[in-house]
mmCIF file with all atom_site columns, all heavy atoms in Angstrom:
data_model
loop_
_atom_site.group_PDB
_atom_site.id
_atom_site.type_symbol
_atom_site.label_atom_id
_atom_site.label_alt_id
_atom_site.label_comp_id
_atom_site.label_asym_id
_atom_site.label_entity_id
_atom_site.label_seq_id
_atom_site.pdbx_PDB_ins_code
_atom_site.Cartn_x
_atom_site.Cartn_y
_atom_site.Cartn_z
_atom_site.occupancy
_atom_site.B_iso_or_equiv
_atom_site.pdbx_formal_charge
_atom_site.auth_seq_id
_atom_site.auth_comp_id
_atom_site.auth_asym_id
_atom_site.auth_atom_id
_atom_site.pdbx_PDB_model_num
ATOM 1   N N   . GLY A 1 743 ? -9.361  -13.742 -17.452 1.00 98.00 ? 743 GLY A N   1
ATOM 2   C CA  . GLY A 1 743 ? -8.511  -14.250 -16.376 1.00 98.00 ? 743 GLY A CA  1
ATOM 3   C C   . GLY A 1 743 ? -7.050  -14.009 -16.660 1.00 98.00 ? 743 GLY A C   1
ATOM 4   O O   . GLY A 1 743 ? -6.681  -13.228 -17.549 1.00 98.00 ? 743 GLY A O   1
ATOM 5   N N   . ASN A 1 744 ? -6.221  -14.693 -15.913 1.00 98.00 ? 744 ASN A N   1
ATOM 6   C CA  . ASN A 1 744 ? -4.768  -14.543 -16.062 1.00 98.00 ? 744 ASN A CA  1
ATOM 7   C C   . ASN A 1 744 ? -4.069  -15.846 -15.729 1.00 98.00 ? 744 ASN A C   1
ATOM 8   O O   . ASN A 1 744 ? -4.547  -16.640 -14.898 1.00 98.00 ? 744 ASN A O   1
ATOM 9   C CB  . ASN A 1 744 ? -4.243  -13.443 -15.143 1.00 98.00 ? 744 ASN A CB  1
ATOM 10  C CG  . ASN A 1 744 ? -4.441  -13.750 -13.680 1.00 98.00 ? 744 ASN A CG  1
ATOM 11  O OD1 . ASN A 1 744 ? -5.523  -13.538 -13.132 1.00 98.00 ? 744 ASN A OD1 1
ATOM 12  N ND2 . ASN A 1 744 ? -3.394  -14.232 -13.020 1.00 98.00 ? 744 ASN A ND2 1
ATOM 13  N N   . THR A 1 745 ? -2.951  -16.071 -16.389 1.00 98.00 ? 745 THR A N   1
ATOM 14  C CA  . THR A 1 745 ? -2.114  -17.212 -16.036 1.00 98.00 ? 745 THR A CA  1
ATOM 15  C C   . THR A 1 745 ? -1.369  -16.905 -14.743 1.00 98.00 ? 745 THR A C   1
ATOM 16  O O   . THR A 1 745 ? -1.228  -15.749 -14.347 1.00 98.00 ? 745 THR A O   1
ATOM 17  C CB  . THR A 1 745 ? -1.093  -17.522 -17.138 1.00 98.00 ? 745 THR A CB  1
ATOM 18  O OG1 . THR A 1 745 ? -0.230  -16.394 -17.295 1.00 98.00 ? 745 THR A OG1 1
ATOM 19  C CG2 . THR A 1 745 ? -1.782  -17.829 -18.457 1.00 98.00 ? 745 THR A CG2 1
ATOM 20  N N   . THR A 1 746 ? -0.901  -17.939 -14.070 1.00 98.00 ? 746 THR A N   1
ATOM 21  C CA  . THR A 1 746 ? -0.136  -17.759 -12.837 1.00 98.00 ? 746 THR A CA  1
ATOM 22  C C   . THR A 1 746 ? 1.292   -18.246 -12.985 1.00 98.00 ? 746 THR A C   1
ATOM 23  O O   . THR A 1 746 ? 2.217   -17.662 -12.413 1.00 98.00 ? 746 THR A O   1
ATOM 24  C CB  . THR A 1 746 ? -0.813  -18.484 -11.668 1.00 98.00 ? 746 THR A CB  1
ATOM 25  O OG1 . THR A 1 746 ? -1.007  -19.872 -12.020 1.00 98.00 ? 746 THR A OG1 1
ATOM 26  C CG2 . THR A 1 746 ? -2.164  -17.856 -11.339 1.00 98.00 ? 746 THR A CG2 1
ATOM 27  N N   . SER A 1 747 ? 1.493   -19.317 -13.710 1.00 98.00 ? 747 SER A N   1
ATOM 28  C CA  . SER A 1 747 ? 2.838   -19.768 -14.073 1.00 98.00 ? 747 SER A CA  1
ATOM 29  C C   . SER A 1 747 ? 2.712   -20.631 -15.310 1.00 98.00 ? 747 SER A C   1
ATOM 30  O O   . SER A 1 747 ? 1.633   -21.127 -15.636 1.00 98.00 ? 747 SER A O   1
ATOM 31  C CB  . SER A 1 747 ? 3.517   -20.535 -12.925 1.00 98.00 ? 747 SER A CB  1
ATOM 32  O OG  . SER A 1 747 ? 2.758   -21.661 -12.553 1.00 98.00 ? 747 SER A OG  1
ATOM 33  N N   . GLY A 1 748 ? 3.827   -20.790 -16.000 1.00 98.00 ? 748 GLY A N   1
ATOM 34  C CA  . GLY A 1 748 ? 3.798   -21.575 -17.227 1.00 98.00 ? 748 GLY A CA  1
ATOM 35  C C   . GLY A 1 748 ? 5.184   -22.079 -17.575 1.00 98.00 ? 748 GLY A C   1
ATOM 36  O O   . GLY A 1 748 ? 6.191   -21.580 -17.062 1.00 98.00 ? 748 GLY A O   1
ATOM 37  N N   . ALA A 1 749 ? 5.223   -23.058 -18.454 1.00 98.00 ? 749 ALA A N   1
ATOM 38  C CA  . ALA A 1 749 ? 6.496   -23.640 -18.891 1.00 98.00 ? 749 ALA A CA  1
ATOM 39  C C   . ALA A 1 749 ? 6.215   -24.549 -20.079 1.00 98.00 ? 749 ALA A C   1
ATOM 40  O O   . ALA A 1 749 ? 5.058   -24.781 -20.452 1.00 98.00 ? 749 ALA A O   1
ATOM 41  C CB  . ALA A 1 749 ? 7.158   -24.434 -17.763 1.00 98.00 ? 749 ALA A CB  1
ATOM 42  N N   . TYR A 1 750 ? 7.282   -25.051 -20.649 1.00 98.00 ? 750 TYR A N   1
ATOM 43  C CA  . TYR A 1 750 ? 7.159   -26.055 -21.707 1.00 98.00 ? 750 TYR A CA  1
ATOM 44  C C   . TYR A 1 750 ? 7.192   -27.430 -21.069 1.00 98.00 ? 750 TYR A C   1
ATOM 45  O O   . TYR A 1 750 ? 8.044   -27.717 -20.208 1.00 98.00 ? 750 TYR A O   1
ATOM 46  C CB  . TYR A 1 750 ? 8.298   -25.926 -22.700 1.00 98.00 ? 750 TYR A CB  1
ATOM 47  C CG  . TYR A 1 750 ? 8.188   -26.853 -23.886 1.00 98.00 ? 750 TYR A CG  1
ATOM 48  C CD1 . TYR A 1 750 ? 7.284   -26.592 -24.910 1.00 98.00 ? 750 TYR A CD1 1
ATOM 49  C CD2 . TYR A 1 750 ? 8.979   -27.988 -23.974 1.00 98.00 ? 750 TYR A CD2 1
ATOM 50  C CE1 . TYR A 1 750 ? 7.182   -27.438 -26.006 1.00 98.00 ? 750 TYR A CE1 1
ATOM 51  C CE2 . TYR A 1 750 ? 8.895   -28.846 -25.062 1.00 98.00 ? 750 TYR A CE2 1
ATOM 52  C CZ  . TYR A 1 750 ? 7.985   -28.567 -26.080 1.00 98.00 ? 750 TYR A CZ  1
ATOM 53  O OH  . TYR A 1 750 ? 7.887   -29.414 -27.156 1.00 98.00 ? 750 TYR A OH  1
ATOM 54  N N   . SER A 1 751 ? 6.247   -28.278 -21.453 1.00 98.00 ? 751 SER A N   1
ATOM 55  C CA  . SER A 1 751 ? 6.239   -29.666 -20.987 1.00 98.00 ? 751 SER A CA  1
ATOM 56  C C   . SER A 1 751 ? 7.036   -30.508 -21.969 1.00 98.00 ? 751 SER A C   1
ATOM 57  O O   . SER A 1 751 ? 6.602   -30.721 -23.110 1.00 98.00 ? 751 SER A O   1
ATOM 58  C CB  . SER A 1 751 ? 4.802   -30.194 -20.895 1.00 98.00 ? 751 SER A CB  1
ATOM 59  O OG  . SER A 1 751 ? 4.805   -31.606 -20.790 1.00 98.00 ? 751 SER A OG  1
ATOM 60  N N   . TYR A 1 752 ? 8.190   -30.981 -21.531 1.00 98.00 ? 752 TYR A N   1
ATOM 61  C CA  . TYR A 1 752 ? 9.031   -31.786 -22.403 1.00 98.00 ? 752 TYR A CA  1
ATOM 62  C C   . TYR A 1 752 ? 8.477   -33.195 -22.563 1.00 98.00 ? 752 TYR A C   1
ATOM 63  O O   . TYR A 1 752 ? 8.781   -33.865 -23.555 1.00 98.00 ? 752 TYR A O   1
ATOM 64  C CB  . TYR A 1 752 ? 10.461  -31.823 -21.857 1.00 98.00 ? 752 TYR A CB  1
ATOM 65  C CG  . TYR A 1 752 ? 11.146  -30.475 -21.914 1.00 98.00 ? 752 TYR A CG  1
ATOM 66  C CD1 . TYR A 1 752 ? 11.045  -29.574 -20.850 1.00 98.00 ? 752 TYR A CD1 1
ATOM 67  C CD2 . TYR A 1 752 ? 11.879  -30.083 -23.032 1.00 98.00 ? 752 TYR A CD2 1
ATOM 68  C CE1 . TYR A 1 752 ? 11.660  -28.333 -20.896 1.00 98.00 ? 752 TYR A CE1 1
ATOM 69  C CE2 . TYR A 1 752 ? 12.495  -28.835 -23.088 1.00 98.00 ? 752 TYR A CE2 1
ATOM 70  C CZ  . TYR A 1 752 ? 12.380  -27.961 -22.016 1.00 98.00 ? 752 TYR A CZ  1
ATOM 71  O OH  . TYR A 1 752 ? 12.987  -26.725 -22.072 1.00 98.00 ? 752 TYR A OH  1
ATOM 72  N N   . SER A 1 753 ? 7.650   -33.625 -21.624 1.00 96.00 ? 753 SER A N   1
ATOM 73  C CA  . SER A 1 753 ? 7.043   -34.954 -21.733 1.00 96.00 ? 753 SER A CA  1
ATOM 74  C C   . SER A 1 753 ? 5.988   -34.999 -22.830 1.00 96.00 ? 753 SER A C   1
ATOM 75  O O   . SER A 1 753 ? 5.900   -35.961 -23.589 1.00 96.00 ? 753 SER A O   1
ATOM 76  C CB  . SER A 1 753 ? 6.401   -35.359 -20.396 1.00 96.00 ? 753 SER A CB  1
ATOM 77  O OG  . SER A 1 753 ? 7.373   -35.472 -19.388 1.00 96.00 ? 753 SER A OG  1
ATOM 78  N N   . SER A 1 754 ? 5.162   -33.944 -22.923 1.00 95.00 ? 754 SER A N   1
ATOM 79  C CA  . SER A 1 754 ? 4.081   -33.923 -23.913 1.00 95.00 ? 754 SER A CA  1
ATOM 80  C C   . SER A 1 754 ? 4.384   -33.011 -25.090 1.00 95.00 ? 754 SER A C   1
ATOM 81  O O   . SER A 1 754 ? 3.601   -32.939 -26.041 1.00 95.00 ? 754 SER A O   1
ATOM 82  C CB  . SER A 1 754 ? 2.776   -33.477 -23.260 1.00 95.00 ? 754 SER A CB  1
ATOM 83  O OG  . SER A 1 754 ? 2.902   -32.151 -22.769 1.00 95.00 ? 754 SER A OG  1
ATOM 84  N N   . GLN A 1 755 ? 5.512   -32.301 -25.013 1.00 96.00 ? 755 GLN A N   1
ATOM 85  C CA  . GLN A 1 755 ? 5.966   -31.410 -26.073 1.00 96.00 ? 755 GLN A CA  1
ATOM 86  C C   . GLN A 1 755 ? 4.917   -30.357 -26.429 1.00 96.00 ? 755 GLN A C   1
ATOM 87  O O   . GLN A 1 755 ? 4.527   -30.186 -27.584 1.00 96.00 ? 755 GLN A O   1
ATOM 88  C CB  . GLN A 1 755 ? 6.380   -32.217 -27.309 1.00 96.00 ? 755 GLN A CB  1
ATOM 89  C CG  . GLN A 1 755 ? 7.556   -33.139 -27.028 1.00 96.00 ? 755 GLN A CG  1
ATOM 90  C CD  . GLN A 1 755 ? 8.090   -33.828 -28.274 1.00 96.00 ? 755 GLN A CD  1
ATOM 91  O OE1 . GLN A 1 755 ? 7.816   -33.418 -29.388 1.00 96.00 ? 755 GLN A OE1 1
ATOM 92  N NE2 . GLN A 1 755 ? 8.862   -34.879 -28.075 1.00 96.00 ? 755 GLN A NE2 1
ATOM 93  N N   . GLN A 1 756 ? 4.496   -29.641 -25.397 1.00 97.00 ? 756 GLN A N   1
ATOM 94  C CA  . GLN A 1 756 ? 3.571   -28.532 -25.593 1.00 97.00 ? 756 GLN A CA  1
ATOM 95  C C   . GLN A 1 756 ? 3.690   -27.570 -24.413 1.00 97.00 ? 756 GLN A C   1
ATOM 96  O O   . GLN A 1 756 ? 4.204   -27.930 -23.354 1.00 97.00 ? 756 GLN A O   1
ATOM 97  C CB  . GLN A 1 756 ? 2.131   -29.042 -25.707 1.00 97.00 ? 756 GLN A CB  1
ATOM 98  C CG  . GLN A 1 756 ? 1.655   -29.802 -24.494 1.00 97.00 ? 756 GLN A CG  1
ATOM 99  C CD  . GLN A 1 756 ? 0.308   -30.469 -24.704 1.00 97.00 ? 756 GLN A CD  1
ATOM 100 O OE1 . GLN A 1 756 ? -0.539  -29.957 -25.422 1.00 97.00 ? 756 GLN A OE1 1
ATOM 101 N NE2 . GLN A 1 756 ? 0.107   -31.618 -24.077 1.00 97.00 ? 756 GLN A NE2 1
ATOM 102 N N   . SER A 1 757 ? 3.221   -26.360 -24.608 1.00 98.00 ? 757 SER A N   1
ATOM 103 C CA  . SER A 1 757 ? 3.232   -25.380 -23.527 1.00 98.00 ? 757 SER A CA  1
ATOM 104 C C   . SER A 1 757 ? 2.109   -25.668 -22.546 1.00 98.00 ? 757 SER A C   1
ATOM 105 O O   . SER A 1 757 ? 1.028   -26.141 -22.914 1.00 98.00 ? 757 SER A O   1
ATOM 106 C CB  . SER A 1 757 ? 3.061   -23.968 -24.090 1.00 98.00 ? 757 SER A CB  1
ATOM 107 O OG  . SER A 1 757 ? 4.206   -23.561 -24.777 1.00 98.00 ? 757 SER A OG  1
ATOM 108 N N   . LEU A 1 758 ? 2.374   -25.330 -21.278 1.00 98.00 ? 758 LEU A N   1
ATOM 109 C CA  . LEU A 1 758 ? 1.476   -25.682 -20.191 1.00 98.00 ? 758 LEU A CA  1
ATOM 110 C C   . LEU A 1 758 ? 1.414   -24.511 -19.219 1.00 98.00 ? 758 LEU A C   1
ATOM 111 O O   . LEU A 1 758 ? 2.406   -23.807 -19.018 1.00 98.00 ? 758 LEU A O   1
ATOM 112 C CB  . LEU A 1 758 ? 2.030   -26.925 -19.487 1.00 98.00 ? 758 LEU A CB  1
ATOM 113 C CG  . LEU A 1 758 ? 1.233   -27.594 -18.382 1.00 98.00 ? 758 LEU A CG  1
ATOM 114 C CD1 . LEU A 1 758 ? -0.065  -28.187 -18.929 1.00 98.00 ? 758 LEU A CD1 1
ATOM 115 C CD2 . LEU A 1 758 ? 2.079   -28.723 -17.773 1.00 98.00 ? 758 LEU A CD2 1
ATOM 116 N N   . ALA A 1 759 ? 0.247   -24.286 -18.636 1.00 98.00 ? 759 ALA A N   1
ATOM 117 C CA  . ALA A 1 759 ? 0.131   -23.188 -17.679 1.00 98.00 ? 759 ALA A CA  1
ATOM 118 C C   . ALA A 1 759 ? -1.007  -23.448 -16.712 1.00 98.00 ? 759 ALA A C   1
ATOM 119 O O   . ALA A 1 759 ? -1.926  -24.231 -16.988 1.00 98.00 ? 759 ALA A O   1
ATOM 120 C CB  . ALA A 1 759 ? -0.103  -21.856 -18.398 1.00 98.00 ? 759 ALA A CB  1
ATOM 121 N N   . PHE A 1 760 ? -0.949  -22.783 -15.563 1.00 98.00 ? 760 PHE A N   1
ATOM 122 C CA  . PHE A 1 760 ? -2.096  -22.631 -14.678 1.00 98.00 ? 760 PHE A CA  1
ATOM 123 C C   . PHE A 1 760 ? -2.705  -21.269 -14.966 1.00 98.00 ? 760 PHE A C   1
ATOM 124 O O   . PHE A 1 760 ? -1.992  -20.302 -15.282 1.00 98.00 ? 760 PHE A O   1
ATOM 125 C CB  . PHE A 1 760 ? -1.670  -22.682 -13.215 1.00 98.00 ? 760 PHE A CB  1
ATOM 126 C CG  . PHE A 1 760 ? -1.548  -24.063 -12.640 1.00 98.00 ? 760 PHE A CG  1
ATOM 127 C CD1 . PHE A 1 760 ? -0.313  -24.520 -12.177 1.00 98.00 ? 760 PHE A CD1 1
ATOM 128 C CD2 . PHE A 1 760 ? -2.651  -24.894 -12.529 1.00 98.00 ? 760 PHE A CD2 1
ATOM 129 C CE1 . PHE A 1 760 ? -0.191  -25.785 -11.616 1.00 98.00 ? 760 PHE A CE1 1
ATOM 130 C CE2 . PHE A 1 760 ? -2.538  -26.158 -11.977 1.00 98.00 ? 760 PHE A CE2 1
ATOM 131 C CZ  . PHE A 1 760 ? -1.305  -26.611 -11.517 1.00 98.00 ? 760 PHE A CZ  1
ATOM 132 N N   . ALA A 1 761 ? -4.034  -21.170 -14.823 1.00 98.00 ? 761 ALA A N   1
ATOM 133 C CA  . ALA A 1 761 ? -4.698  -19.887 -15.035 1.00 98.00 ? 761 ALA A CA  1
ATOM 134 C C   . ALA A 1 761 ? -5.956  -19.824 -14.182 1.00 98.00 ? 761 ALA A C   1
ATOM 135 O O   . ALA A 1 761 ? -6.659  -20.833 -14.017 1.00 98.00 ? 761 ALA A O   1
ATOM 136 C CB  . ALA A 1 761 ? -5.055  -19.695 -16.502 1.00 98.00 ? 761 ALA A CB  1
ATOM 137 N N   . TYR A 1 762 ? -6.228  -18.635 -13.653 1.00 98.00 ? 762 TYR A N   1
ATOM 138 C CA  . TYR A 1 762 ? -7.493  -18.407 -12.958 1.00 98.00 ? 762 TYR A CA  1
ATOM 139 C C   . TYR A 1 762 ? -8.548  -18.007 -13.977 1.00 98.00 ? 762 TYR A C   1
ATOM 140 O O   . TYR A 1 762 ? -8.365  -17.050 -14.744 1.00 98.00 ? 762 TYR A O   1
ATOM 141 C CB  . TYR A 1 762 ? -7.335  -17.329 -11.891 1.00 98.00 ? 762 TYR A CB  1
ATOM 142 C CG  . TYR A 1 762 ? -6.825  -17.880 -10.585 1.00 98.00 ? 762 TYR A CG  1
ATOM 143 C CD1 . TYR A 1 762 ? -5.509  -17.661 -10.187 1.00 98.00 ? 762 TYR A CD1 1
ATOM 144 C CD2 . TYR A 1 762 ? -7.653  -18.657 -9.765  1.00 98.00 ? 762 TYR A CD2 1
ATOM 145 C CE1 . TYR A 1 762 ? -5.027  -18.196 -8.996  1.00 98.00 ? 762 TYR A CE1 1
ATOM 146 C CE2 . TYR A 1 762 ? -7.177  -19.190 -8.583  1.00 98.00 ? 762 TYR A CE2 1
ATOM 147 C CZ  . TYR A 1 762 ? -5.872  -18.959 -8.197  1.00 98.00 ? 762 TYR A CZ  1
ATOM 148 O OH  . TYR A 1 762 ? -5.414  -19.498 -7.020  1.00 98.00 ? 762 TYR A OH  1
ATOM 149 N N   . LEU A 1 763 ? -9.671  -18.754 -13.967 1.00 98.00 ? 763 LEU A N   1
ATOM 150 C CA  . LEU A 1 763 ? -10.769 -18.515 -14.894 1.00 98.00 ? 763 LEU A CA  1
ATOM 151 C C   . LEU A 1 763 ? -12.089 -18.486 -14.131 1.00 98.00 ? 763 LEU A C   1
ATOM 152 O O   . LEU A 1 763 ? -12.225 -19.123 -13.080 1.00 98.00 ? 763 LEU A O   1
ATOM 153 C CB  . LEU A 1 763 ? -10.827 -19.629 -15.950 1.00 98.00 ? 763 LEU A CB  1
ATOM 154 C CG  . LEU A 1 763 ? -9.608  -19.789 -16.868 1.00 98.00 ? 763 LEU A CG  1
ATOM 155 C CD1 . LEU A 1 763 ? -9.777  -21.023 -17.753 1.00 98.00 ? 763 LEU A CD1 1
ATOM 156 C CD2 . LEU A 1 763 ? -9.417  -18.549 -17.724 1.00 98.00 ? 763 LEU A CD2 1
#
Side-chain angles (χ1 to χ4, degrees):
N744 63 278
T745 62
T746 55
S747 59
Y750 185 75
S751 165
Y752 293 89
S753 296
S754 63
Q755 297 187 17
Q756 60 188 327
S757 289
L758 185 65
F760 275 118
Y762 275 106
L763 298 174

